[in-house]
Amino acid sequence: MWTHKPWQGRFLPHPLAAGERLRSYAEWCNAVEGNTTFYATPARHTVASWAQQTDPSFRFVIKLPKPITHEKRLMGIDDELRAFLAAIEPLGPRAHALWLQLPGSFTPADVPALAGFLGRLPKQYRYAVEVRHRAFFDDPAATQLLESVLNEAAAEWIPFDTIAFFASPPGSEAERDAWAKKPRMPRRSVALTDRPIVRYLGRDATEQTVAGWQPWIDTVAAWLREGRSPTVFIHTPDNADALPLSRRFHDEVRSRVPELEPLPEPGPAQQPTLF
C-alpha cells in the first residue's frame, strides 16, 4: 500500500525512489498490511529493504502466500512455507503477526487442518487468522471450535468489519467493485490475545466511514486500558484518504486514552522550492 498512486504527491513525496517509499509511509502510520506476499513470496533482499526503511517497532502484518492458504489449503506446503519464512526473516521484530487469510470455502470441517498447521509453525512468530465462512460467526459451536484451536496456538482471530460498507448501495465505481468482491461479515470484537488486529472497511464518503467505526473506538480504547496492544487497519473502497483517516481514528482513540503514544508527524509531500 505504500506505493498507492493516489497518495503520491498528495501525502507522500513524488517522485520517490523505491527504497524510500515505505520510509515515507512510516511517517504517517506505524503499521502496514503486507498483502502483496499473498500473490508472491518476496525476495529476501526486498524484505531487507523494508526493514532498513522502518524502525524496529514498526508493525508488519504479513499475509501468507496464496498457495499455502487457498490452493493447498494448509496441507503439503512445507517447501512453500520454508521459502516464505526465509524471505521474511530480515523483518526481525517488525513481523508483528503472520496473517492466514482463509477462503470462504474454509468451513468448520476444515478446522483440524488449521490446528495441525498452527501446531507445526515456528514459535518465534505470532499468528493471526481471518476466516470468511459465516458458520464461524453464526454457529456458536463453530465459533467455540475455532477459538479453542486459536487459543491453543496463542493465535489471534482477525475480524474484517464490512458492516458500514454494506449499509447502503454503492455510489462510486470503486464501491461497486468492492461490493462484488468483499465478504459480508458480522462485527466481531472479541480479542483472544494481547495483540488484537482489526480490519475495517468504510465508504468513500468520509462521514460514513467515521460513523461506521465508532463502535471500534470504544472497543480499542477498552483493549488499551486492559493492557493489550491492538493494531487497526482502516480501508475505504478507493483508499484515497486511508492515510489521514487512519490518523483520525488514532486521534479519536487517543482522546479516550491520552497515554497512547502519538503517531509520528509526516513530512511534506512536496519538495520545497526557492520560488
Side-chain angles (χ1 to χ4, degrees):
M1 282 302 297
W2 58 85
T3 60
H4 194 45
K5 286 186 178 180
W7 298 347
Q8 297 174 18
R10 184 176 173 216
F11 303 124
L12 309 181
H14 181 74
L16 199 61
E20 294 295 325
R21 292 171 185 168
L22 176 55
R23 191 188 311 278
S24 183
Y25 168 93
E27 294 179 353
W28 280 82
C29 299
N30 56 10
V32 73
E33 290 181 344
N35 191 55
T36 59
T37 54
F38 179 71
Y39 301 101
T41 294
R44 185 181 172 96
H45 67 82
T46 298
V47 178
S49 171
W50 300 348
Q52 291 165 3
Q53 295 178 64
T54 53
D55 293 333
S57 61
F58 188 86
R59 299 178 177 186
F60 286 84
V61 177
I62 298 288
K63 192 185 290 189
L64 268 70
K66 184 178 181 180
I68 295 176
T69 56
H70 286 57
E71 295 173 6
K72 296 188 176 182
R73 300 173 68 88
L74 309 180
M75 306 292 288
I77 43 68
D78 288 353
D79 290 344
E80 292 88 346
L81 180 61
R82 190 178 301 111
F84 174 74
L85 293 174
I88 67 166
E89 186 179 9
L91 289 179
R94 300 165 185 81
H96 186 72
L98 304 190
W99 167 22
L100 287 76
Q101 186 185 77
L102 298 171
S105 60
F106 190 94
T107 74
D110 298 307
V111 169
L114 174 63
F117 180 75
L118 290 172
R120 297 194 305 272
L121 292 172
K123 303 302 182 186
Q124 72 259 36
Y125 294 110
R126 300 286 290 266
Y127 301 95
V129 176
E130 180 185 337
V131 291
R132 294 188 168 187
H133 194 281
R134 288 291 300 229
F136 290 115
F137 302 88
D138 298 338
D139 180 356
T143 302
Q144 184 177 12
L145 174 64
L146 180 57
E147 286 183 347
S148 176
V149 166
L150 296 176
N151 282 326
E152 180 68 23
E156 190 54 81
W157 181 335
I158 300 181
F160 185 25
D161 182 2
T162 60
I163 291 176
F165 174 69
F166 285 111
S168 58
S172 68
E173 182 177 348
E175 289 186 347
R176 283 188 287 273
D177 182 65
W179 192 271
K181 296 177 180 178
K182 301 302 182 183
R184 297 183 182 229
M185 293 287 100
R187 182 180 294 117
R188 173 188 161 83
S189 56
V190 178
L192 300 181
T193 72
D194 62 341
R195 294 185 182 184
I197 299 168
V198 175
R199 305 183 68 232
Y200 169 79
L201 177 64
R203 299 292 293 252
D204 287 337
T206 294
E207 64 275 11
Q208 291 176 288
T209 296
V210 172
W213 78 33
Q214 292 309 307
W216 287 113
I217 300 296
D218 295 332
T219 297
V220 172
W223 283 342
L224 289 165
R225 294 189 193 103
E226 293 167 359
R228 303 180 195 267
S229 184
T231 305
V232 180
F233 295 109
I234 303 297
H235 291 276
T236 66
D238 64 11
N239 278 319
D241 292 316
L243 287 179
L245 283 169
S246 296
R247 294 178 67 88
R248 178 169 175 175
F249 182 92
H250 187 277
D251 287 344
E252 289 194 19
V253 173
R254 194 162 178 251
S255 71
R256 306 280 188 90
V257 188
E259 60 270 28
L260 178 63
E261 289 289 328
L263 290 171
E265 283 301 319
Q270 301 290 344
Q271 297 293 334
T273 64
L274 296 177
F275 304 100

